[in-house]
Amino acid sequence: MRNSQVTPITDSKIALEALRTGNKRFVEGKPSTKDDSADRKETVDTQKPYAIILTCADSRCSPEIFFDTKIGDLFVLRNAGNFATDVELGSMEFATAVLGAPLVVVIGHSSCGAVNAAFDKPPGLPEKLQSIINNIAPGIEGSLDKLAATKANTETVVKNVKKNPIIQQQNTHVVGAYYDFATGMVSFYE
């Protein structure tokens, strides 16, 4: 169990290793013993997340679970297709500049409906759904298959996040990752 005397993680390498270790526990079916009630009480007045996660809104894509983390460890942003508009970038600026999170991880995943739709280009989508596809489509152009499109989308978002002046000013480390539903494994790439 964590206590208020624990020093928050402020180094991106240590943060990335914490995510890898948590994912390994998840994949092996050996989650950490945690007391969510105590963790909640300890984070009532403050938060010190060590990672900002931008991932998909897919109901199967829950970073707090597949990284086996505690309340307050992750600052999670989600939308269909894990892309970054000014809203997500502004949230990242807050999490890094104000909360001190040293790491951003952009996570794509297997069977992503939003990326698959951008790849397939089905006609007649509702206007708001089409706006999601329009955000994804330029970054996956030229992809040969849906897996390549998912990875290209993540890489495009990583590049865009890295261009953000606050992310640069704070020396926030930005990496991409891929979550495989079948194995539970998160593969990081930089």
Side-chain angles (χ1 to χ4, degrees):
M1 182 182 351
R2 201 175 17 191
N3 66 50
S4 58
Q5 303 303 314
V6 174
T7 305
I9 296 173
T10 59
D11 181 281
S12 64
K13 290 177 185 167
I14 295 170
L16 193 55
E17 187 55 35
L19 295 177
R20 283 187 172 115
T21 301
N23 183 243
K24 183 178 184 215
R25 286 191 307 268
F26 172 75
V27 169
E28 293 174 351
K30 300 176 182 176
S32 61
T33 304
K34 53 187 172 179
D35 182 349
D36 289 333
S37 178
D39 291 336
R40 178 184 48 80
K41 290 175 185 172
E42 289 178 9
T43 58
V44 167
D45 296 323
T46 188
Q47 61 173 318
K48 290 290 181 191
Y50 61 80
I52 302 161
I53 307 293
L54 173 58
T55 195
C56 190
D58 189 300
S59 65
R60 301 164 291 177
C61 194
S62 301
E64 297 90 345
I65 294 172
F66 63 69
F67 285 132
D68 190 31
T69 59
K70 297 178 182 172
I71 293 171
D73 287 347
L74 305 180
F75 191 91
V76 180
L77 308 168
R78 296 175 68 169
N79 62 43
N82 54 277
F83 58 90
T85 66
D86 285 348
V87 172
E88 289 78 19
L89 290 170
S91 296
M92 288 179 196
E93 289 176 358
F94 171 74
T96 190
V98 177
L99 301 178
L103 176 68
V104 174
V105 183
V106 179
I107 306 173
H109 65 85
S110 54
S111 305
C112 182
V115 173
N116 290 350
F119 183 83
D120 291 338
K121 301 175 186 153
L125 294 174
E127 178 185 351
K128 300 300 181 194
L129 178 53
Q130 187 62 53
S131 72
I132 292 171
I133 302 311
N134 294 345
N135 273 289
I136 297 168
I140 67 167
E141 209 164 293
S143 297
L144 299 178
D145 58 37
K146 291 176 182 175
L147 176 59
T150 297
K151 291 183 178 182
N153 179 54
T154 299
E155 290 168 358
T156 298
V157 176
V158 165
K159 287 176 189 172
N160 290 338
V161 171
K162 285 181 176 182
K163 292 177 187 174
N164 180 280
I166 302 301
I167 297 293
Q168 290 176 352
Q169 181 183 41
Q170 297 296 316
N171 293 317
T172 307
H173 189 61
V174 183
V175 299
Y178 177 79
Y179 175 54
D180 186 312
F181 290 152
T183 66
M185 175 105 28
V186 176
S187 303
F188 294 90
Y189 45 94
E190 299 183 52

